[in-house]
Each structure stands twice: as C-alpha cells, then as structure tokens.
Amino acid sequence: MVKAIQTHRRDSKLSLMASMVIIASLLFTFSFQANAALKVIASVNQNPIVQGNSFILEIRANESISASDWDNSVLLADFVVGRTSTSSQTSYINGTKSHVTTFTTVLMARTVGTYTIPAFSIDNATTKPININVISSSTANERGLNNRNIELKVNITDKNVYVGQQFIYTTTLYIAQNTEMQAGNITEPEVKDGTVKQIGKDENGSEIINGRRYQTITRQFAITINTAGVSVITPSRFEGQVSTAKRGYRSGPVTPVITQAETVNLNIQAQPATYKGEWLVSDFVQLDEELQPVQDTYQQGEPITRTMTLTAANVTKSALPDLAIAWPKTVKVYPDKPQLTSFAQQGNYFAQQVLSFAIIPNQVGELTLPEVSVPWFNSKSRQQEWATLPAKTVTVIANENSAAMINNANSIDTPASSTASKDQANIQAPPAANESPVWRWLTFIFAGLWLLTCVSWFMFRKNQLQTTKLGTNSQTLDTTTPDNVWPQLKSALKDNDAQQSSLLLHAWFKQQWPELKYTDLASLPISMECQQACHALLSFNYGKKSGSASWNGELLLTQLTKLRSVKHTVTKNQQSSIKTQLNP
C-alpha cells in the first residue's frame, strides 16, 4: 500500500512538469507571433532617381494597422509628397492566418543630390533608413537610365525679359506609347511678384524621340514679372496615375506618378533710365483711328465720332496705357467706356483697347483734332518708339437745320399760333439754298426778334382775352421775348423724344438768350442741375454706347420749367444786369 502511494505521488509530479512545459511552449509561441506582427519594412521601387521623376515608397507591415499610425510629414523637407494609398490583404496557408498592410506614397526630389528617407516607428516597430541618390537628366542619359515613360518639359519664348513684359511659358507632357494616363493634372508654374495665366486650350499631338513614339499634351501660360533682378520660376508639375503595359499584355497595373519640369531662372531687366512716358514694353504696337461719318464738312452741333484702336503684342490688357488727349476748347467731347479685349493670331497674343469719342463742335471754321502719341519700348531693338496718330483738320459749317428752325419759330406772330402748332410732331424746314456767314444769320435773327417783340407786345395787349384762354395765365411770361418754341419742346420732352428735344432745346436757348453768339451750356446762366440734365440728353444722342436703351425727359422738363419761371422774372426786373453778365 505504501508502494502505491509513492507511485501516485510520482505520477502527480510528472503531470505537473508536463503542464508547465506545455504552458511555457504556448507562451513562447504567442511571444513569437507577437514579435512577428510588429515587423515593418520600408522600400523604394528605384534608385537612383532622375531629377524631376517620381518614385514609390512602400511601407509593409504584417499586421493590420491604420493609416493614421504612420506620419510621413518628415518627408516634406526634401521631397514632393503625393497621395498615400493603403491596401490590406488576409490569407490562410495550411490553416495559418496571415495579414499584410501596405502604405504606398509617391515621392519626388526637387533637386539633384543625396537624400535619406528616415526610419519610421509604428507600434514600437522601426524601419531601416534608405539613402536615395537623385541624378540630373544629362547624367541619366550618359548612364542609359533616362528611358522614362512619362516626362514633362518646358520652353520659354524669350529669355531677355523686361519688367512688365509678358512672355509665354509652354509645358509639354510626353507619354510613352506603352503607357496610358488614367488620370492627372498639370499644375501652374509659380513666380514671385508676378502673374501667371493659362491661355488657350490644351493641344494634343505626337512625337518620335530616339525611335520611340510619345503622345504629347501641350499647355501654355502667359507670365508677367513686375520686379527686376533674378527671378526663379517654380516649374509646372504633373500628378496623376498611369498604367504601363508589359510585353504580351494589353495593360498593366495602375501606379501613381509625379513628374516635374526643370526650374527656370530668368534675369528680369529694369526699365531703361532714358525711357520717357508711361512704361509699355512690347515687340509690336499699333495705333489706328476712324472718323464717322466720313464726309468733307461737318455741321456745327452735329456729332463727329472719332474711334481709336491701340493694339500691342505680348502685353496684358491691364498694361495698356490711358490715352492723353488735349481736346480744343471749341468742342464738347463725350467719351465712351474703353473696350478691352485680347486675342491670338499666328502664334502671337495681343491686347487691344478701343476708345470712341463723340465730338460736338460749337464753332464754325477749321477744327483741328489733336495728335495722339503713345510711347513704347521695343523689346527686340531695345529702343523707345512712338505709335502716333497725326493731327487732322476738318471743316465745320453752320448748322442748316438749327438756323432754319429758329427762322421758322420767329416767323410765328402770336403765342396763339405757337399753341396751335403744338400738335406737330416734328419741326422741319427746307435747307437754305445758299450758305451765309454766321454774322449775317445773327443780324437777321436779331432784326427778326426785335420786330417780333414789337408785334407780340401789340398783339398781347389787343388779344389779352385770347391769350388767357390758351392757358398762359398759369405761367409768368416774358412779353418782351417770344416763347413760341416752348410748347413744342415741352411736348417732345413729355414724349421722351430725345432727337426732337435736342433740336428744340437748341432753338429755345437761342430765343431765351439772343445776346449769345453760341449757346454753349457753360456760358448760359442756368443751374448745375439743369446743366446735368442737358448733358444727359446730349450723351444719350451723341454717345456711341450710352448704356441705356431709352431716355426720360421728365427731369429735364422739370429743370427747364424752373429755369423758364426764374428767367422770365429776372428778365423783367434785371434785364440790364443780365446783358452785362452775358456780354462783359
């Protein structure tokens, strides 16, 4: 019995030792699997790297991890960092489960040199650092390593560039025949203190280089730099996804890619000290003009439209200067808003400014339209030049319509006959057979006005009851000055007839102030509000593009009604003072 007890104790000890061995084996196995899950490996798909070309950095871990566990911000100091993609894969082999997580990032070195991709730590596992050698394109050609499937090149039209001069920056993306672009974008170049603007649309083509066919995509940018000195143009960059087919296959796997063109350094030249005038640099500047209507003589008070067109090559619209024009004092000028456009022609880019002026002469005789000159600097000859429009002289004659209209108005004997003609829509008179000098017309007008004043005074006293029936008792009339154009002018203003109102307004001013040789608005004793309303009428009639399709005569009618009341009162009481002011 004692022997059985000893045997039982021995079996218990053996069982306890076996259990401890099993537990130790399990712990060792779990520890081994845990250590295996923490392994992280970093690798690149090529080395050395050609400058401007991208390469792929891959981080592989044999455990499921999140993308937020990997921080790649340390790479921004030396590389252009593209998008990071994450993939995971789970497999079972002989009943053993394995899991792999892969981070893929596209990198591109900006300059030639040796760089180090540092070690990364993820969940206490650390990768090994990788040394990257970036070589120039010429070095790659010497070593036979520059057989790239995708490449970006740039070209500049002119490297002798002045401040404010526009030049064309052309980028061309080359895609090899066995490579297909799935998606991508070409970024704009960047400059300091300047402007960059894409011009035109992309052009597709093809080229054969060293016996290899490439598809090409060309894009152009207009660049203007405003500071003299050395300027660095940060090049354009292509970022996208491509697939390269291997021999025997129609397509290959899609891979991200970044490629960058070469950096361009330009020495921007300053404006020459000898240059005079507003700075405009170009290789072609032209100034043209057109007069409308085209005729030998122009009538006083009728508009003459002078249109000037300034065209410059390789210049932005904002760089076109304002035209300084010294107009003579014998004209009224109503300018239109400048029209700025740009266009391309035969591979050159142009900016154009069109200016139109409505010129209204108020004096009979020879009118000289002034010379217009635009200074500019020729970037090819490197000399200052001038685009010039010579002075032009035109002949201005008396306005037949105005003179005939005034005579027609003065031939009416009484206010009653003036009121009867209120229903007429237009005042028309046959043109004079022979033109007369201005002083002769003025003599006839003054004589007619004097006779008409006497007749009107006599008829007013005789027919006072008839005048009251015609509604003149609501207004303060000047019995010494006929006012028979006013009803027709009032009717035209109410009908918003701009052309008829303009003609009648001129005749009415002549009646109100016969002492004046020319009824220039600035010389008339009228209020500022009335002048502005008159200018609005003239601008609508004679401006090429007035900005509105209709004109309302209500404001001008209100101002003229006030002027008419005040003017008549003053004429009665202070006629001698007014004559002194009008004829100093």
Side-chain angles (χ1 to χ4, degrees):
M1 185 175 179
V2 173
K3 188 176 180 179
I5 294 174
Q6 290 177 350
T7 301
H8 177 73
R9 288 179 177 176
R10 188 182 299 116
D11 292 340
S12 298
K13 289 181 179 179
L14 292 174
S15 177
L16 180 60
M17 292 178 63
S19 298
M20 292 178 65
V21 170
I22 293 172
I23 293 172
S25 299
L26 291 174
L27 291 174
F28 177 78
T29 302
F30 291 152
S31 176
F32 176 79
Q33 291 180 352
N35 289 333
L38 293 174
K39 288 185 179 180
V40 182
I41 300 174
S43 62
V44 294
N45 67 333
Q46 56 179 311
N47 195 9
I49 312 298
V50 181
Q51 180 189 11
N53 270 16
S54 62
F55 62 98
I56 296 176
L57 170 65
E58 185 178 88
I59 305 295
R60 182 185 292 265
N62 56 351
E63 186 181 273
S64 178
I65 58 177
S66 173
S68 60
D69 294 335
W70 179 44
D71 182 11
N72 62 2
S73 59
V74 294
L75 298 172
L76 294 173
D78 297 324
F79 302 97
V80 175
V81 181
R83 293 192 310 169
T84 299
S85 61
T86 304
S87 64
S88 60
Q89 182 179 2
T90 303
S91 61
Y92 291 88
I93 301 176
N94 297 327
T96 303
K97 179 181 178 181
S98 63
H99 193 96
V100 177
T101 302
T102 305
F103 300 136
T104 303
T105 298
V106 184
L107 303 177
M108 186 191 70
R110 295 184 176 90
T111 58
V112 174
T114 301
Y115 301 90
T116 299
I117 296 178
F120 297 100
S121 295
I122 301 176
D123 291 343
N124 298 323
T126 304
T127 65
K128 294 181 180 181
I130 303 175
N131 293 325
I132 298 295
N133 186 23
V134 180
I135 61 177
S136 64
S137 180
S138 59
T139 303
N141 289 332
E142 294 173 359
R143 299 181 186 180
L145 301 175
N146 206 3
N147 191 20
R148 295 184 279 184
N149 292 324
I150 189 163
E151 186 176 2
L152 189 64
K153 296 182 179 180
V154 299
N155 180 48
I156 293 180
T157 55
D158 191 358
K159 293 189 177 181
N160 295 319
V161 181
Y162 285 85
V163 169
Q165 179 182 355
Q166 178 180 278
F167 60 93
I168 306 302
Y169 180 97
T170 304
T171 64
T172 304
L173 180 66
Y174 294 84
I175 305 172
Q177 188 175 14
N178 65 330
T179 302
E180 183 178 354
M181 183 176 66
Q182 303 295 332
N185 178 50
I186 299 177
T187 63
E188 287 188 351
E190 298 178 359
V191 296
K192 292 183 178 179
D193 192 20
T195 58
V196 179
K197 181 181 180 182
Q198 180 180 342
I199 53 177
K201 298 181 179 180
D202 293 349
E203 295 183 1
N204 297 324
S206 63
E207 290 187 25
I208 297 178
I209 303 175
N210 297 329
R212 194 179 186 190
R213 181 178 293 276
Y214 289 85
Q215 177 189 355
T216 61
I217 301 176
T218 302
R219 181 177 295 180
Q220 291 187 320
F221 301 91
I223 300 179
T224 304
I225 300 177
N226 302 319
T227 303
V230 178
S231 181
V232 179
I233 302 178
T234 302
S236 294
R237 188 170 65 246
F238 170 78
E239 299 181 11
Q241 294 179 336
V242 299
S243 61
T244 302
K246 296 181 179 180
R247 182 173 297 180
Y249 296 89
R250 290 185 177 181
S251 61
V254 177
T255 58
V257 64
I258 298 177
T259 183
Q260 179 174 284
E262 295 182 355
T263 301
V264 179
N265 296 325
L266 288 181
N267 185 19
I268 308 299
Q269 303 181 48
Q271 173 182 334
T274 57
Y275 182 85
K276 296 181 180 179
E278 186 174 352
W279 177 247
L280 175 64
V281 56
S282 176
D283 51 10
F284 173 83
V285 175
Q286 181 173 298
L287 190 60
D288 302 304
E289 76 167 338
E290 180 184 9
L291 283 184
Q292 289 291 341
V294 179
Q295 53 194 41
D296 296 333
T297 59
Y298 298 89
Q299 294 189 4
Q300 177 188 3
E302 295 295 330
I304 305 171
T305 302
R306 188 183 192 186
T307 303
M308 305 179 190
T309 304
L310 175 63
T311 307
N314 300 321
V315 170
T316 60
K317 293 186 293 185
S318 60
L320 294 176
D322 296 329
L323 301 185
I325 307 174
W327 298 104
K329 296 182 179 180
T330 57
V331 298
K332 283 288 183 182
V333 180
Y334 300 90
D336 283 345
K337 184 179 180 179
Q339 301 177 24
L340 296 173
T341 57
S342 58
F343 59 92
Q345 184 175 352
Q346 297 179 352
N348 294 316
Y349 294 88
F350 297 86
Q352 192 172 78
Q353 178 180 228
V354 179
L355 294 171
S356 293
F357 302 89
I359 307 168
I360 303 178
N362 53 30
Q363 182 172 320
V364 175
E366 298 294 328
L367 172 61
T368 300
L369 301 179
E371 174 187 283
V372 180
S373 183
V374 177
W376 64 286
F377 186 81
N378 193 322
S379 59
K380 291 184 176 179
S381 64
R382 300 188 179 185
Q383 294 181 353
Q384 181 172 359
E385 299 182 13
W386 286 264
T388 303
L389 291 177
K392 182 173 292 186
T393 301
V394 298
T395 302
V396 179
I397 61 176
N399 191 319
E400 299 176 355
N401 292 334
S402 298
M405 182 171 54
I406 294 175
N407 285 340
N408 183 46
N410 291 337
S411 63
I412 303 175
D413 293 335
T414 64
S417 60
S418 172
T419 305
S421 64
K422 180 177 181 180
D423 294 334
Q424 296 179 358
N426 300 303
I427 294 182
Q428 298 182 352
N434 297 316
E435 297 179 2
S436 301
V438 177
W439 64 267
R440 183 176 300 175
W441 281 105
L442 293 177
T443 302
F444 291 159
I445 291 172
F446 292 153
L449 289 174
W450 183 80
L451 292 175
L452 188 59
T453 300
C454 296
V455 173
S456 299
W457 181 83
F458 176 79
M459 296 299 296
F460 178 79
R461 295 293 301 271
K462 185 177 181 180
N463 302 308
Q464 187 173 7
L465 292 177
Q466 180 181 0
T467 303
T468 304
K469 292 179 182 180
L470 293 174
T472 57
N473 54 349
S474 62
Q475 301 176 355
T476 306
L477 294 177
D478 179 11
T479 57
T480 62
T481 302
D483 199 8
N484 42 29
V485 176
W486 171 252
Q488 299 176 64
L489 174 58
K490 183 177 178 181
S491 177
L493 292 173
K494 288 183 177 180
D495 294 338
N496 299 322
D497 188 343
Q499 293 290 341
Q500 189 71 4
S501 297
S502 180
L503 294 174
L504 292 170
L505 180 65
H506 180 76
W508 189 73
F509 281 156
K510 281 286 188 180
Q511 275 195 341
Q512 300 303 306
W513 291 281
E515 300 90 350
L516 291 178
K517 188 175 182 180
Y518 303 110
T519 54
D520 185 11
L521 291 177
S523 63
L524 296 178
I526 61 179
S527 66
M528 182 61 65
E529 292 80 4
C530 188
Q531 283 193 18
Q532 292 176 353
C534 293
H535 275 299
L537 172 61
L538 296 176
S539 298
F540 179 83
N541 282 332
Y542 303 128
K544 188 175 182 181
K545 294 182 179 179
S546 61
S548 61
S550 62
W551 169 82
N552 193 323
E554 181 179 356
L555 177 61
L556 182 56
L557 176 60
T558 301
Q559 295 299 328
L560 292 180
T561 302
K562 294 179 181 179
L563 173 66
R564 189 165 174 265
S565 175
V566 174
K567 200 269 176 185
H568 289 162
T569 303
V570 172
T571 303
K572 286 183 176 182
N573 302 328
Q574 301 177 355
Q575 185 174 9
S576 59
S577 175
I578 290 292
K579 290 184 177 180
T580 302
Q581 295 178 17
L582 295 177
N583 300 282

